[in-house]
Amino acid sequence: MNQFYDEQEAVDSLNNMFDLMSIERIVNVRHRDELRSKINQVVVKLHNMHNNILDLKVFSNSSNAQFLSSGVTLHDYQTLIDGLTQLFFISNKEQQLQLLTITRAEWGRKKIEYFFNCTEHQAKEAILLRHLYGVLARPMYFSGNKPLSKEIIDQVLELYQDDRISQQSSNKKDKSKVSGEDKIFRFMVPQSSKESKDYLCCF
């Protein structure tokens, strides 16, 4: 439930929390860097309590010290995370898969899907890629050359379906099923009188 405080109520509540955590109370809220540092200490201590209750050992003392002395605020961390998710959104498929490998080894498919808003297939592939080749590994395509993107395939089809490049057969029997759909043969247009319509394409 959302709860709003005026400035003095917020200061009193924070100082009560600082007392519980054995952290020096704040006197002057204008010292914002000091205030942020104390709040960060509270968050770290709460995080450690949570880990102790659940018997988790994922946040070492050295990590705590680095976090508290870095001067980086929780807001800074959130900004970095937002930037990371935006980078994922604008990246191509290969880069997205590479970025997904930075998640913690403990993260499962569902958590990766939720955090990055990616597909189930991407999450599965990222987990496998990280397991085999490590963090930020580039996807390897062992079944042959790197697959063409849909955009490139569409551009090629558009080019060869141009009437200046190929012409549809006038014989209605010149057809074949492609993905369950009847496609009429198209013959490449001769570029000179010496060439004949021996080049067949079907899209």
Side-chain angles (χ1 to χ4, degrees):
M1 181 177 66
N2 293 330
Q3 187 171 358
F4 299 94
Y5 300 88
D6 63 32
E7 181 176 311
Q8 190 55 50
E9 286 177 331
V11 170
D12 292 340
S13 296
L14 283 174
N15 277 328
N16 290 336
M17 189 175 299
F18 293 155
D19 289 340
L20 289 173
M21 300 289 181
S22 300
I23 298 173
E24 186 179 351
R25 296 167 67 92
I26 56 172
V27 178
N28 191 340
V29 294
R30 289 178 296 179
H31 297 162
R32 296 192 175 187
D33 289 341
E34 181 182 356
L35 177 58
R36 290 193 186 101
S37 176
K38 293 181 185 298
I39 292 175
N40 285 348
Q41 292 179 54
V42 170
V43 172
V44 170
K45 290 192 175 188
L46 289 173
H47 191 280
N48 287 340
M49 290 179 186
H50 161 265
N51 290 340
N52 289 335
I53 292 172
L54 299 181
D55 195 25
L56 299 176
K57 298 179 180 179
V58 296
F59 209 52
S60 66
N61 290 331
S62 60
S63 297
N64 289 344
Q66 183 179 9
F67 177 82
L68 294 174
S69 63
S70 63
V72 180
T73 66
L74 295 175
H75 177 71
D76 295 333
Y77 278 103
Q78 186 59 53
T79 301
L80 291 171
I81 291 173
D82 291 343
L84 176 62
T85 53
Q86 179 64 22
L87 175 62
F88 176 82
F89 178 75
I90 64 175
S91 297
N92 61 37
K93 297 298 182 183
E94 180 179 312
Q95 292 168 337
Q96 286 183 343
L97 194 57
Q98 192 173 10
L99 284 171
L100 290 178
T101 64
I102 69 174
T103 56
R104 295 186 57 83
E106 292 82 2
W107 280 29
R109 171 180 57 80
K110 287 291 186 182
K111 191 168 185 177
I112 295 175
E113 284 183 61
Y114 175 79
F115 185 86
F116 284 96
N117 194 27
C118 66
T119 66
E120 177 182 350
H121 176 73
Q122 284 179 309
K124 287 181 177 179
E125 288 294 308
I127 291 173
L128 179 61
L129 181 63
R130 182 185 59 206
H131 175 72
L132 293 176
Y133 302 106
V135 175
L136 289 178
R138 297 189 62 180
M140 305 291 288
Y141 299 96
F142 296 107
S143 59
N145 294 328
K146 179 180 176 180
L148 295 175
S149 67
K150 184 179 183 302
E151 290 78 10
I152 293 178
I153 294 174
D154 290 342
Q155 289 176 10
V156 172
L157 291 177
E158 183 179 356
L159 171 65
Y160 283 99
Q161 288 175 345
D162 190 318
D163 289 339
R164 293 170 297 179
I165 303 297
S166 67
Q167 292 181 348
Q168 184 171 294
S169 173
S170 58
N171 188 344
K172 294 184 178 180
K173 293 183 179 180
D174 288 343
K175 62 182 179 180
S176 179
K177 281 193 177 293
V178 178
S179 299
E181 183 181 353
D182 286 337
K183 294 289 186 178
I184 303 297
F185 293 160
R186 296 183 68 90
F187 294 92
M188 301 295 290
V189 175
Q191 300 301 309
S192 69
S193 59
K194 294 182 180 180
E195 296 177 351
S196 62
K197 294 184 179 180
D198 291 336
Y199 302 96
L200 174 67
C201 54
C202 179
F203 302 102

